């Protein structure tokens, strides 16, 4: 009698191990703690958050803050309006070896302004526009989308048709017209104006989420208990849609800083005497071949801020979405398998269809020995002298 052992893929065992690992990791934790743990495990989002925090702190502490007539000085020796004498013919004084920064690490422009101070001020303005656009557009989008998705019928039709009208108008055209008229009043007002027209995508996403959540059992239970519509929307449905809102708010902010930079580059954004990252590039575009450092630094900060916000949004998406699961390592699965105890041998009583062989499943191993299928966990009562119910020798 020929006996052979083969291995079959343990898909059920692997799935059980993955579930066991995830349950042990989240056991006894609240939803907020689970989201926070998942977010901090996303290395890209964590590094991006640190880099973005460093950029914000550097921009707002180096040259100080000037807003609505209130000015707080910073630790850098020059301001973005000051014109010191030229050093090193306007080239950057910073070098990596030997490591030194000098008086003008980013260089000077044609007039003599310190580019580090100008870039820090432009970063302040661009970040301010980004945050204001994100807040205003998120609030309007959530309000319109929640109202349309919850009430439906004619309310949904009116709000969504109004949203479609706003979508058909290119945002850069609206921003150019209103930015040219209101850009001289400051970056804060420019951010509010852009935010009033950037909420459409958020509204459609929130509406779709509310259309799904309003049919859930907990909403019916709230209605039966006598809760008002406002309480159901803001206390029951909205917390369950916070994941998609936060993720799309970060993506909206990343697009806002690119839009502001484009408007300022075209001359329709922040107006003189103030500045922004896009305006710095626009003012120095004629010096691209002779003084390229005038483009390196504002372009680098635009890319860095947009990438950081996008990576943070990606990490928040993975943290809020329970379907985003990280595949555990083989060592973790093996450790979870040992902790769960021995596996129960599978039962297979299907009649054999080939030759004079049968197989016995033990874990993930299959033994062929005999002419019919025999299993250790055969539920039939074993009768003396019955060859088919004769126990299988494990050493064969």
């Amino acid at each position: 009698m020929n006996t052979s052992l083969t291995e079959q893929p343990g898909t059920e065992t692997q799935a059980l191990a993955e579930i066991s690992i995830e349950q042990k990791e989240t056991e006894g934790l609240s939803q907020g703690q689970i989201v926070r743990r998942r977010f901090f495990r996303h290395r890209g989002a964590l590094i991006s958050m640190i880099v973005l925090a460093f950029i914000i702190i550097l921009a707002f502490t180096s040259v100080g803050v000037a807003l609505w007539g209130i000015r707080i000085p910073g630790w850098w020796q020059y301001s973005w309006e000051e014109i010191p004498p030229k050093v090193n013919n306007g080239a950057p004084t910073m070098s990596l070896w030997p490591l030194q920064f000098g008086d003008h690490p980013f260089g000077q422009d044609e007039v003599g302004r310190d580019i580090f101070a100008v870039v820090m001020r432009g970063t302040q303005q661009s970040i301010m526009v980004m945050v204001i656009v994100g807040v205003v557009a998120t609030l309007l989008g959530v309000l319109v989308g929640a109202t349309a998705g919850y009430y439906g019928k004619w309310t949904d039709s009116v709000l969504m048709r109004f949203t479609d009208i706003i979508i058909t108008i290119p945002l850069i055209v609206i921003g150019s017209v209103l930015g040219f008229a209101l850009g001289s009043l400051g970056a804060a007002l420019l951010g509010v104006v852009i935010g009033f027209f950037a909420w459409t995508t958020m509204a459609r996403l929130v509406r779709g989420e509310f259309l799904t959540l309003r049919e859930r059992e907990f909403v019916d239970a709230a209605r039966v208990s006598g809760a008002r519509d406002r309480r159901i929307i803001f206390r029951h449905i909205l917390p369950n849609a916070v994941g998609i809102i936060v993720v799309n708010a970060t993506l909206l902010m990343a697009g806002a800083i690119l839009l502001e930079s484009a408007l300022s580059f075209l001359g329709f954004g922040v107006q003189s005497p103030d500045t922004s990252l896009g305006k710095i590039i626009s003012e120095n575009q004629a010096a691209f071949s002779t003084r390229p450092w005038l483009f390196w630094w504002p372009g680098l900060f635009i890319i860095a801020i947009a990438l950081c916000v996008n990576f943070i949004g990606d990490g928040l998406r993975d943290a809020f979405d329970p379907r985003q699961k990280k595949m555990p390592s083989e060592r973790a699965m093996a450790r979870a398998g040992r902790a769960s105890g021995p596996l129960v041998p599978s039962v297979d009583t299907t009649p054999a269809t080939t030759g004079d062989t049968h197989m016995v499943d033990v874990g993930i191993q299959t033994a062929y020995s005999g002419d019919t299928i025999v299993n250790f966990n055969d539920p039939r009562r074993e009768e003396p002298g019955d060859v088919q119910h004769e126990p299988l020798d494990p050493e064969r």
Side-chain angles (χ1 to χ4, degrees):
M1 179 174 55
N2 296 328
T3 303
S4 61
L5 294 178
T6 60
E7 292 188 359
Q8 297 176 345
T11 55
E12 296 182 359
T13 305
Q14 183 178 1
L16 291 174
E18 293 177 9
I19 295 174
S20 177
I21 293 172
E22 185 177 2
Q23 289 177 347
K24 290 180 180 179
E25 290 179 350
T26 59
E27 184 178 2
L29 299 178
S30 63
Q31 184 65 26
Q33 293 173 330
I34 294 174
V35 170
R36 186 166 56 251
R37 172 174 292 190
R38 289 176 179 170
F39 177 78
F40 285 118
R41 285 184 177 180
H42 196 289
R43 295 182 180 178
L46 187 60
I47 295 173
S48 299
M49 186 174 63
I50 295 173
V51 172
L52 183 61
F54 172 76
I55 293 175
I56 294 174
I57 294 173
L58 178 65
F60 283 89
T61 60
S62 57
V63 295
V65 179
L67 184 64
W68 295 315
I70 302 174
R71 185 158 188 171
I72 302 174
W75 50 265
W76 187 243
Q77 56 183 338
Y78 302 111
S79 68
W80 65 90
E81 299 172 341
E82 188 177 352
I83 304 177
K86 280 194 175 183
V87 177
N88 196 22
N89 198 23
T93 58
M94 181 176 60
S95 64
L96 298 178
W97 188 261
L99 182 61
Q100 62 179 5
F101 293 96
D103 293 334
H104 305 283
F106 288 4
Q108 295 173 275
D109 60 7
E110 295 179 353
V111 181
R113 293 183 302 174
D114 181 60
I115 295 299
F116 177 81
V118 175
V119 170
M120 291 300 102
R121 176 60 178 176
T123 304
Q124 289 182 12
Q125 300 297 85
S126 297
I127 291 176
M128 187 183 303
V129 172
M130 177 187 72
V131 174
I132 293 176
V133 170
V135 172
V136 173
T138 300
L139 291 177
L140 290 177
V142 170
L143 181 62
V144 173
T147 304
Y150 180 78
Y151 290 103
K153 298 181 181 179
W154 66 269
T155 305
D156 182 24
S157 300
V158 171
L159 291 177
M160 285 301 102
R161 298 299 76 77
F162 175 71
T163 303
D164 293 338
I165 293 174
I166 301 298
I167 290 176
T168 57
I169 305 175
L171 184 58
I172 192 169
V173 175
I174 299 176
S176 300
V177 174
L178 298 178
F180 183 76
L182 303 175
S184 59
L185 300 178
L189 185 59
L190 178 63
V192 173
V193 171
I194 296 176
F196 270 109
F197 294 92
W199 52 267
T200 53
T201 302
M202 176 68 74
R204 295 175 72 92
L205 292 172
V206 173
R207 170 185 174 270
E209 194 72 10
F210 265 67
L211 287 175
T212 303
L213 292 174
R214 72 176 185 177
E215 305 297 334
R216 302 287 293 274
E217 292 79 3
F218 65 88
V219 177
D220 294 335
R223 290 196 186 100
V224 171
S225 63
R228 296 182 178 180
D229 292 342
R230 184 175 61 182
R231 180 178 179 85
I232 294 175
I233 292 174
F234 291 102
R235 296 294 299 273
H236 296 278
I237 302 181
L238 192 60
N240 289 277
V242 69
I244 191 171
I245 293 173
V246 171
V247 171
N248 287 277
T250 57
L251 300 178
L252 183 64
M253 293 168 65
I257 191 171
L258 297 177
L259 176 63
E260 185 278 329
S261 300
L263 292 176
S264 298
F265 178 80
L266 296 174
F268 302 122
V270 178
Q271 304 294 325
S272 299
D274 218 329
T275 186
S276 68
L277 294 176
K279 185 173 177 58
I280 297 172
I281 297 176
S282 176
E283 290 176 346
N284 300 287
Q285 58 181 334
F288 178 78
S289 58
T290 57
R291 290 181 295 277
W293 58 83
L294 300 178
F295 298 85
W296 293 346
W297 301 111
L300 178 64
F301 275 84
I302 291 174
I303 295 173
I305 295 173
L307 285 178
C308 287
V309 176
N310 277 321
F311 276 117
I312 292 173
D314 187 60
L316 290 172
R317 182 200 63 190
D318 294 347
F320 280 103
D321 191 355
R323 295 171 294 181
Q324 299 287 337
K325 297 180 180 179
K326 182 180 179 181
M327 182 65 68
S329 62
E330 295 182 359
R331 181 179 300 179
M333 293 178 59
R335 185 165 56 251
R338 290 193 299 269
S340 61
L343 297 174
V344 180
S346 60
V347 179
D348 190 353
T349 58
T350 307
T353 58
T354 59
D356 295 333
T357 62
H358 71 274
M359 59 183 178
V360 177
D361 294 338
V362 184
I364 60 173
Q365 292 184 347
T366 305
Y368 295 87
S369 57
D371 53 357
T372 54
I373 298 176
V374 182
N375 192 281
F376 285 125
N377 289 340
D378 196 336
R380 294 175 296 179
R381 183 171 57 87
E382 185 173 322
E383 299 178 1
D386 190 351
V387 180
Q388 294 185 0
H389 292 76
E390 183 177 351
L392 177 67
D393 187 4
E395 297 181 358
R396 285 193 296 172

